[in-house]
Amino acid sequence: MLAISGGGAGGAFTVGVLSAWSELGTRPRFQVVTGVSTGALIAPFAFLGTQYDKRLRSLYLSDQPRSLVDLNWRGLGVFSPSLLQGNALREMVEDNITPEILGQIAREHRAGRRLLVMTTNLDTQRAVVWNIGAIASSERVDALPLVRQLLIASASVPGIFPPVSINTVVDGRLIEELHSDGGSSAQFFTLPEHLIVAPGRTGEGKLHIYVIINNALIPEFSMTASKALPIMARAYAILLKSQTKQGLIALYNFTQRSGIDLDIASIDEQVPYSMVDPLNGVYMRTVYRIGYRKAFGDHLWTQYPQFTISQ
């Protein structure tokens, strides 16, 4: 299993890891690939294989990410659902998740592999895990637009991108649910919570879980301006970091008592980053190189969560 976390522009770290892994010729053919937020945008191509590494590099290392910053000038988001309009993100997903890509995902699903992405249902305050392969291989006439909607929703950070309305049926009635960033619920997804917290479980069969965290788990020093938005942004970043740490600790404890192999990768170097310039090209190329260099040099994976800089 490969689990790809959220992290916005930090997704370039995963792209670097995948690129080096492919060149080394040691990249597994994962039975399960999961993605949350930016990880949901990467997951379909990581799932389909090494032939899509070039497309991922284009998506994360070209000037295309900058085009996603389509400001919503109506009060700069104050009187609207989000700071950005979200049209550019939608166009990017539509350009890359094509009928051909959907068909390939469907074939892999029928072969027994699974592609899962997570969104957050804002109405029910619950995480929702979507089986993208099952949707792709279904006979739904709306399979392609639905998959696109789910990927957009998973990557739609609240307040930055608008949430996505998804039609569903509850008790025979058609309703609209409002979904947004899966990272609001968890920064990565491996197994259902009820399994992870269940006591005394032992592993059945052999499972190897790889988790790529598109963020730094180490403390990162930065002076915070005494203004509302910088303080909120800094506090939110701390919240996400803490959420990721707790998720990794729970997963580590579960794998230890269940006999499951676990490998974790994260950005373990301090890279300057500004919340007011979230898709900075220099940052993305830097974390890409970190992922590539560490994966190629076999210095990437750790078997337990590490929250300090390695000496």
Side-chain angles (χ1 to χ4, degrees), residues 237-255:
I238 295 169
L239 177 64
L240 294 183
K241 195 185 295 277
S242 299
Q243 179 194 52
T244 307
K245 289 180 179 181
Q246 295 305 313
L248 287 173
I249 291 170
L251 177 63
Y252 172 75
N253 289 334
F254 171 76
T255 58

Side-chain angles (χ1 to χ4, degrees), residues 250-309:
L251 177 63
Y252 172 75
N253 289 334
F254 171 76
T255 58
Q256 287 294 292
R257 66 177 184 266
S258 302
I260 294 172
D261 292 330
L262 175 64
D263 277 297
I264 302 167
S266 65
I267 303 171
D268 62 355
E269 299 179 22
Q270 295 201 23
V271 183
Y273 179 80
S274 172
M275 293 293 289
V276 300
D277 188 14
L279 297 175
N280 181 276
V282 173
Y283 173 82
M284 298 174 80
R285 288 188 291 273
T286 301
V287 297
Y288 170 87
R289 287 193 294 268
I290 292 172
Y292 182 92
R293 183 182 71 246
K294 288 186 173 294
F296 207 86
D298 198 25
H299 303 302
L300 179 71
W301 303 104
T302 63
Q303 284 66 55
Y304 60 91
Q306 294 185 4
F307 305 137
T308 57
I309 299 176

Side-chain angles (χ1 to χ4, degrees), residues 100 131 176 219 287:
E100 292 74 22
N131 189 331
E176 284 190 13
V287 297

Side-chain angles (χ1 to χ4, degrees), residues 129-140:
V129 177
W130 302 86
N131 189 331
I132 299 300
I135 298 171
S137 61
S138 70
E139 297 182 356
R140 298 178 59 127

Side-chain angles (χ1 to χ4, degrees), residues 47-58:
F47 178 74
L48 292 178
T50 59
Q51 65 269 33
Y52 288 101
D53 289 353
K54 183 177 180 181
R55 182 176 300 198
L56 283 174
R57 287 192 293 270
S58 176

Side-chain angles (χ1 to χ4, degrees), residues 113-180:
R113 301 176 67 220
R114 297 293 178 261
L115 172 62
L116 310 173
V117 303
M118 176 185 285
T119 66
T120 298
N121 186 326
L122 296 176
D123 301 319
T124 63
Q125 292 188 325
R126 297 182 65 181
V128 182
V129 177
W130 302 86
N131 189 331
I132 299 300
I135 298 171
S137 61
S138 70
E139 297 182 356
R140 298 178 59 127
V141 295
D142 65 339
L144 179 58
L146 177 57
V147 167
R148 289 169 171 170
Q149 276 188 302
L150 295 174
L151 297 180
I152 294 167
S154 184
S156 293
V157 178
I160 304 299
F161 291 103
V164 176
S165 293
I166 297 176
N167 294 328
T168 188
V169 177
V170 177
D171 296 331
R173 293 186 301 111
L174 181 66
I175 66 170
E176 284 190 13
E177 295 179 343
L178 208 57
H179 287 254
S180 72

